[in-house]
Amino acid sequence: MTWLWLPLLMVLAVGLWPLAFARAVSGRVEGTLTSDRAELEPGDEVRLSVALVNRSFMPIPLAKVEIELPTQLSFHREQAVRIGHVSLAVLPRRQADIQFTAYGWRRGPAVPIQVRAALGEGMGLLDLDVAFENRVSLAVRPRHKRLERPLRLAPTGWMTRETRAFPDETALRSVRPYTYGDPVRHIHWRASARLGQLVVKEFFTTEAPDWAIVLSAQASEPYWLSGLHPDTLDAMCEQALAMARWLTRGGGRVCFATNAACGNRRRASVAWLSADGVASLLAHAQPIATCDFDALSAALARSASSPRHWIVLSPLPARDAGARLSRLGVQVTWMSFGPPLEQEGQEFAREVSRDAKP
């Protein structure tokens, strides 16, 4: 009669095994996703590491790990492949390390990278999902392209360090309160008499560049009404990077301003950057405007040593922006970028203002 109990025990074991497996493994398996790089060029490879830690005393006969990439990454260098998966077994109290190789595919922040893992007991009766901790923050820089049309504005020099002992007195920038050690010849006597305190002159340096690159992500009026097409933003970023490399070919810096949302920055970004810094900033740019163009131009005009020549890249036509900017004392070259279905690449518009008179 013993052989009659054997099938019953086998059926009972098959029925209890998934419950015992779930009770032993649930909450004791952890997963993390990391990468060896934070930024990459299109076509460069990045290594994504998946760690699956089994802290239980129960072996995992089958663990299916699947990773889904955003549109900025691909598992193949020549074509868009965004799904990768692997199956493996994990012993008790062990960690399984899985390596995926991805490639930069198109510009932008590579988020989110979705990782899923299903734990099976080996008989296909039960699958448990594992929550992954995503520690990856990746961004792909714009593609390198040559400047299609040389700009009329030629760089006049490169930014150099100013010193108080030997300032460049060729152009007056502003005045500031007098401090001990300032040369007497730099005191602005008329302004001091008008303000009631001693003030000294501050000067521009003749080596300072006289241009700025302004990238506007505003696609509608008002700016929050609609977003910018990602392909249009990519074309603008590629052209802005090409201009930055052309202007900084001597090792200088460029004044770069944008109202596109870049990473955690929720306001307009205005900074003196190298070409590599511009590429890094544009890698995190999103097709969302944080403010309108008027607020962006006002922030740039108020910044210290604001350049006199501006190169504006915008999806909107110039309209009356040139007149407003000419009142700020700047010369503007406006470059309009149309929708990708109507215009291929970008369309160079016209120069909307002449040299502003002081």
Side-chain angles (χ1 to χ4, degrees), residues 56-76:
S56 68
F57 60 88
M58 184 75 70
I60 301 176
L62 182 62
K64 299 178 182 179
V65 179
E66 182 180 276
I67 182 169
E68 182 178 354
L69 300 178
T71 57
Q72 287 74 21
L73 301 175
S74 174
F75 284 116
H76 196 277

Side-chain angles (χ1 to χ4, degrees), residues 21-231:
F21 177 82
R23 185 178 182 85
V25 173
S26 180
R28 295 181 175 86
V29 179
E30 301 173 356
T32 57
L33 175 67
T34 57
S35 65
D36 60 347
R37 302 181 62 176
E39 294 180 1
L40 65 156
E41 303 286 345
D44 289 353
E45 68 177 37
V46 58
R47 186 165 298 175
L48 303 176
S49 301
V50 177
L52 195 62
V53 183
N54 182 12
R55 304 186 185 278
S56 68
F57 60 88
M58 184 75 70
I60 301 176
L62 182 62
K64 299 178 182 179
V65 179
E66 182 180 276
I67 182 169
E68 182 178 354
L69 300 178
T71 57
Q72 287 74 21
L73 301 175
S74 174
F75 284 116
H76 196 277
R77 194 188 296 269
E78 303 296 334
Q79 57 185 350
V81 179
R82 299 191 173 91
I83 302 294
H85 53 83
V86 66
S87 299
L88 72 161
V90 185
L91 296 176
R93 307 290 182 174
R94 292 293 186 270
Q95 173 177 323
D97 295 319
I98 311 166
Q99 298 280 340
F100 291 92
T101 300
Y103 301 90
W105 185 252
R106 64 174 298 174
R107 186 216 62 85
V111 291
I113 300 178
Q114 299 180 0
V115 184
R116 296 177 290 270
L119 308 180
E121 83 290 346
M123 292 184 292
L125 300 177
L126 178 67
D127 285 333
L128 295 177
D129 295 331
V130 177
F132 271 80
E133 181 184 359
N134 193 338
R135 303 176 183 175
V136 176
S137 178
L138 271 175
V140 181
R141 296 185 175 188
R143 297 183 183 273
H144 292 188
K145 61 180 299 183
R146 300 184 60 181
L147 196 63
E148 297 180 358
R149 300 185 184 182
L151 301 175
R152 297 181 181 179
L153 302 178
T156 58
W158 317 114
M159 178 66 71
T160 58
R161 181 178 299 175
E162 295 186 55
T163 63
R164 177 178 293 183
F166 302 99
D168 192 339
E169 303 180 26
T170 56
L172 178 64
R173 177 170 60 188
S174 61
V175 294
R176 60 173 175 80
Y178 174 85
T179 58
Y180 178 78
D182 289 329
V184 177
R185 67 178 184 275
H186 293 159
I187 297 178
H188 199 302
W189 296 107
R190 292 184 179 179
S192 300
R194 184 171 61 253
L195 298 175
Q197 62 174 344
L198 285 179
V199 294
V200 295
K201 305 174 185 177
E202 281 191 327
F203 304 95
F204 287 111
T205 171
T206 54
E207 295 296 315
D210 196 24
W211 26 256
I213 299 176
V214 183
L215 189 148
S216 175
Q218 180 181 357
S220 61
E221 287 283 356
Y223 71 93
W224 44 262
L225 188 61
S226 64
L228 182 63
H229 195 283
D231 293 342

Side-chain angles (χ1 to χ4, degrees), residues 214-269:
V214 183
L215 189 148
S216 175
Q218 180 181 357
S220 61
E221 287 283 356
Y223 71 93
W224 44 262
L225 188 61
S226 64
L228 182 63
H229 195 283
D231 293 342
T232 304
L233 180 61
D234 290 348
M236 295 170 59
C237 291
E238 292 175 2
Q239 187 65 26
L241 180 59
M243 289 189 298
R245 292 184 181 276
W246 180 75
L247 292 172
T248 61
R249 65 182 183 270
R253 297 185 297 169
V254 64
C255 186
F256 186 81
T258 181
N259 58 358
C262 300
N264 295 328
R265 304 184 184 187
R266 298 305 176 189
R267 296 182 179 179
S269 301

